């Protein structure tokens, strides 16, 4: 048997949209991320996989400084967006989070109308000069989120009245509405049934190329289905990063192999 | 290798390996017995080889069913995925190997009883033995996930090819000198060709084993299988 000695992978890619270099994250004394370097690009969907508690969400949140909201969290290392350090004092965090949007595990629409859920972001970012502008943005965002046809006749119903899958697409529409460059998704389908999940996966497929998409998933089949590059995390390390089809057919690292073949723990 | 968290998955993989080991053993025996039947003009043994081939076919069907089930229910990944796909491909090749052995056995009654006097027949058993060993080693390599053993099988393919070329020349010369034996010699030529094909198929199996074990495909190699036109 050929030993798996080759150095894990290409952590770097051509034309990265975001690059992390030696990123460490601490919650108080506890280190959750142990020096991770990785590039993510526009041309593909990147999946983060790994066992629960390995630090996927923690690392994902460093990419739009969501950890800033956790009092005990401390981030070291460098993360750039288009070459610009997002942890630089000059970085406007509100602006950053518009450029790097996030979709969470549990759909969390505001308790407002469908229309308002989409319009909220563009309004605070001053993207619409008029009601007509806003109508255009709302329709475009809902279309891109694959939800327009289902809700166009009830835009003023409450967002929370939608089904779980529709709520999640509404949240994706909300992220899209502020014209982000990167969309981070943290287990966006784990609260959804298989059909709603398939619709989100199809949506991710359609959004690919327009935005750099990073998805955390504990569902390996999902990572295999939606992503072109996969990163495997384990105990705060990035163990392996590579082309998804390679990771799932011929992983280089023993730890990756054990995890994806169901031999973990 | 560590066990799967889901035990039933391990049991299915073990069953798959067991079936392929059995199939390999049967194919190897079929080759051996067909050659023995040919040498001894033993029609009973030849008939048994033909009858036993049904079990090889049945194992192929069983493995196919099991592989489809494993893919559907377990969604195997990485080396597991390579293993089950290799299993599926290997059984279809081994089934063909069984058919070649059966084909040799079917010719036994067609070769007249005076064949014993045909000199070229003496060349065939050792050729059959090499091919049989290749089948044996290729399937052992699969069971042991042994890439080096697979490579050793692939290297031996040229031995069988060389045998074939030499048997071919010998038979042609013999036929020219003994035109009355043409019918028997033609059968022997097909036997030699069948053995040569068995060697090729064993080599294919070994290539699949190599991929399953390492995740790497071998570079395209020279295939010296068939006679060159100038031969
Ligand atoms: N707010 C927090 N405070 C303290 N520890 C945390 C916090 N969030 C996560 N952790 C710890 O950090 C580690 C990584 O967690 P997380 O990033 O949520 O993993 P994953 O998303 O891969 O399941 C875990 O050990 C977890 O307990
Ligand atoms: Mg998480």
């Amino acid at each position: 048997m050929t030993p798996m000695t080759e150095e894990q992978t290409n952590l770097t890619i051509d034309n990265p949209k975001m690059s992390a270099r030696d990123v460490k994250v601490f919650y108080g004394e506890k280190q959750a991320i142990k020096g991770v370097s990785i590039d993510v690009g526009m041309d593909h969907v990147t999946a983060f996989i790994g066992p629960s508690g390995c630090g996927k969400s923690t690392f994902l949140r460093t990419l739009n400084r969501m950890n800033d909201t956790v009092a005990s969290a401390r981030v070291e290392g460098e993360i750039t967006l288009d070459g610009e350090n997002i942890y630089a004092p000059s970085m406007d965090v509100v602006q950053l989070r518009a450029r790097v949007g996030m979709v969470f595990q549990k759909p969390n629409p505001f308790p407002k109308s469908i229309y308002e859920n989409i319009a909220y972001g563009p309004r605070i970012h001053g993207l619409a000069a008029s009601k007509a502008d806003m109508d255009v943005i709302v329709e475009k965002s809902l279309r891109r989120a694959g939800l327009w046809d289902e809700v166009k006749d009830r835009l003023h119903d409450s967002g929370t009245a939608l089904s779980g899958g529709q709520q999640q697409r509404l949240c994706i529409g909300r992220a899209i509405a502020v014209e982000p460059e990167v969309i981070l998704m943290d287990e966006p389908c784990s609260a959804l049934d298989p059909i709603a999940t398939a619709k989100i996966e199809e949506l991710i497929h359609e959004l690919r190329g327009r935005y750099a998409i990073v998805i955390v998933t504990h569902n390996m089949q999902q990572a295999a289905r939606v992503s072109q590059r996969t990163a495997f995390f384990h105990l705060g390390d990035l163990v392996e990063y590579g082309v998804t089809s390679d990771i799932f057919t011929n992983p280089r690292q023993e730890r990756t192999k054990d995890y994806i073949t169901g031999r973990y723990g | 290798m560590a066990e799967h968290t889901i035990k039933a998955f391990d049991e299915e993989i073990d069953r798959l390996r067991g079936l392929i080991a059995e199939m390999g053993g049967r194919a190897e025996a079929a080759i051996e017995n067909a050659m023995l039947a040919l040498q001894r003009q033993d029609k009973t043994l030849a008939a048994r080889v033909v009858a036993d081939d049904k079990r090889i076919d049945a194992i192929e069907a069983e493995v196919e069913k099991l592989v489809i089930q494993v893919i559907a229910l377990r969604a195997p990944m990485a080396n597991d995925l390579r293993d089950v796909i290799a299993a599926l491909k290997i059984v279809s090749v081994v089934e063909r190997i069984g058919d070649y052995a059966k084909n040799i056995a079917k010719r036994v009654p067609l070769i007249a009883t005076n064949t014993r006097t045909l000199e070229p027949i003496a060349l065939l058993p050792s050729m059959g033995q090499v091919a049989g060993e290749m089948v044996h080693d290729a399937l052992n390599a699969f069971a042991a996930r042994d890439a080096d053993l697979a490579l050793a099988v692939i290297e031996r393919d040229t031995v069988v090819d060389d045998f074939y070329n030499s048997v071919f020349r010998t038979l042609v010369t013999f036929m020219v000198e003994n035109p009355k034996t043409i019918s028997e010699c033609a059968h022997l030529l097909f036997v030699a060709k069948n053995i040569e094909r068995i060697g090729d198929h064993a080599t294919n199996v070994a290539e699949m084993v190599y991929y399953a074990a390492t995740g790497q495909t071998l570079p395209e190699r020279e295939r010296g299988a068939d006679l060159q036109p100038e031969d």
Side-chain angles (χ1 to χ4, degrees):
Chain A
M1 182 123 180
T2 316
M4 298 200 228
T5 49
E6 284 157 67
E7 200 21 57
Q8 50 194 119
T9 24
N10 300 324
L11 300 173
T12 60
I13 60 172
D14 293 338
N15 304 318
K17 186 69 190 172
M18 296 196 78
S19 296
R21 291 295 174 268
D22 200 23
V23 169
K24 297 174 180 148
V25 183
F26 301 84
Y27 292 110
E29 293 294 292
K30 187 183 146 56
Q31 185 168 5
I33 294 292
K34 299 175 182 163
V36 166
S37 299
I38 193 172
D39 286 348
V40 300
M42 284 301 272
D43 305 334
H44 35 245
V45 176
T46 305
F48 290 174
I49 61 168
S52 183
C54 68
K56 304 179 295 292
S57 297
T58 298
F59 184 71
L60 190 75
R61 289 196 303 257
T62 63
L63 300 178
N64 72 346
R65 294 186 53 175
M66 276 302 207
N67 291 317
D68 290 12
T69 61
V70 180
S72 67
R74 179 161 57 85
V75 178
E76 287 178 10
E78 189 186 61
I79 296 178
T80 58
L81 172 62
D82 285 337
E84 194 186 351
N85 181 3
I86 66 168
Y87 283 86
S90 56
M91 178 60 64
D92 175 346
V93 177
V94 174
Q95 198 58 43
L96 171 69
R97 295 202 188 124
R99 292 176 69 191
V100 184
M102 191 145 191
V103 175
F104 297 90
Q105 178 170 353
K106 224 171 144 291
N108 57 349
F110 311 130
K112 289 187 180 255
S113 71
I114 292 166
Y115 186 97
E116 274 306 310
N117 263 278
I118 302 292
Y120 178 80
R123 186 172 299 128
I124 61 168
H125 288 284
L127 298 182
S130 64
K131 168 84 167 75
D133 276 0
M134 189 59 90
D135 288 350
V136 170
I137 292 175
V138 169
E139 175 170 347
K140 192 177 85 180
S141 304
L142 287 170
R143 278 192 190 282
R144 279 205 190 146
L147 195 58
W148 176 251
D149 289 338
E150 289 161 60
V151 302
K152 61 174 190 273
D153 299 324
R154 48 177 173 139
L155 291 176
H156 297 287
D157 289 4
S158 172
T160 55
L162 296 170
S163 73
Q166 289 172 326
Q167 287 187 22
Q168 196 60 301
R169 280 181 280 145
L170 181 62
C171 292
I172 292 172
R174 193 172 67 189
I176 288 172
V178 293
E179 293 177 2
E181 295 151 56
V182 182
I183 301 176
L184 310 176
M185 302 187 184
D186 194 348
E187 303 199 8
C189 302
S190 57
L192 306 182
D193 68 49
I195 306 242
T197 297
K199 286 187 182 158
I200 300 281
E201 290 179 0
E202 173 57 20
L203 177 57
I204 290 170
H205 186 73
E206 280 165 17
L207 297 177
R208 172 189 158 199
R210 195 186 290 274
Y211 313 98
I213 297 174
V214 184
I215 177 172
V216 166
T217 173
H218 61 243
N219 178 336
M220 282 182 292
Q221 303 299 328
Q222 178 167 70
R225 286 192 299 262
V226 303
S227 76
Q228 289 72 49
R229 292 184 72 87
T230 296
F232 171 61
F233 287 81
H234 187 228
L235 300 174
D237 287 320
L238 172 59
V239 175
E240 185 162 352
Y241 180 44
V243 173
T244 297
S245 56
D246 291 343
I247 297 275
F248 286 101
T249 58
N250 193 15
R252 303 271 157 216
Q253 302 295 316
E254 208 64 29
R255 279 197 283 173
T256 316
K257 189 181 86 178
D258 285 350
Y259 180 69
I260 66 172
T261 59
R263 290 180 170 87
Y264 174 80
Chain B
M1 193 166 312
E3 288 177 352
H4 288 99
T5 312
I6 297 174
K7 294 280 178 300
F9 190 1
D10 279 329
E11 286 160 23
E12 285 158 359
I13 298 265
D14 286 349
R15 206 167 129 239
L16 210 47
R17 289 186 171 277
L19 284 167
I20 288 175
E22 182 191 341
M23 192 181 193
R26 284 177 179 274
E28 200 187 325
I31 298 165
E32 212 176 286
N33 287 333
M35 296 312 294
L36 213 56
L38 180 72
Q39 256 180 293
R40 297 187 188 154
Q41 287 299 297
D42 185 339
K43 291 181 192 167
T44 319
L45 183 56
R48 213 176 77 206
V49 171
V50 174
D52 284 355
D53 189 56
K54 290 199 177 63
R55 174 62 192 156
I56 294 182
D57 294 351
I59 297 176
E60 184 196 17
E62 206 174 334
V63 166
E64 261 177 27
K65 221 171 101 191
L66 188 55
V67 166
I68 287 171
Q69 184 190 321
V70 165
I71 290 175
L73 304 185
R74 310 289 174 210
M77 291 283 194
N79 54 308
D80 290 335
L81 178 62
R82 300 199 307 265
D83 268 4
V84 296
I85 295 295
L88 184 64
K89 294 175 73 178
I90 286 171
V91 292
S92 85
V93 176
V94 177
E95 189 272 329
R96 298 279 300 282
I97 291 176
D99 283 349
Y100 285 121
K102 182 170 75 176
N103 191 283
I104 293 171
K106 279 182 171 170
R107 289 179 196 278
V108 169
L110 304 175
I111 298 171
T113 39
N114 67 354
T115 317
R116 227 179 276 275
T117 61
L118 283 178
E119 292 162 34
I121 207 168
L123 290 166
L124 290 171
S126 26
M127 183 180 178
Q129 197 185 339
V130 177
E133 280 168 7
M134 285 173 72
V135 172
H136 174 91
D137 288 353
L139 288 150
N140 268 1
F142 180 68
R145 300 180 169 88
D146 186 338
D148 292 332
L149 185 54
L151 283 177
V153 172
I154 292 164
E155 276 160 19
R156 252 180 292 163
D157 190 35
T158 53
V159 177
V160 179
D161 293 344
D162 291 346
F163 254 120
Y164 176 68
N165 290 343
S166 120
V167 169
F168 181 88
R169 274 190 290 264
T170 310
L171 279 170
V172 169
T173 312
F174 195 84
M175 284 189 266
V176 170
E177 289 165 6
N178 307 279
K180 280 190 195 128
T181 66
I182 281 180
S183 157
E184 288 92 338
C185 285
H187 283 301
L188 291 181
L189 206 49
F190 278 116
V191 169
K193 187 67 193 169
N194 284 340
I195 300 172
E196 187 269 328
R197 295 299 293 149
I198 289 172
D200 285 348
H201 282 322
T203 305
N204 288 153
V205 171
E207 286 165 347
M208 294 166 196
V209 171
Y210 186 87
Y211 174 72
T214 65
Q216 315 289 322
T217 39
L218 287 162
E220 198 50 41
R221 78 206 148 82
E222 289 280 316
R223 278 172 204 274
D226 293 315
L227 279 182
Q228 301 305 308
E230 63 266 28
D231 280 349

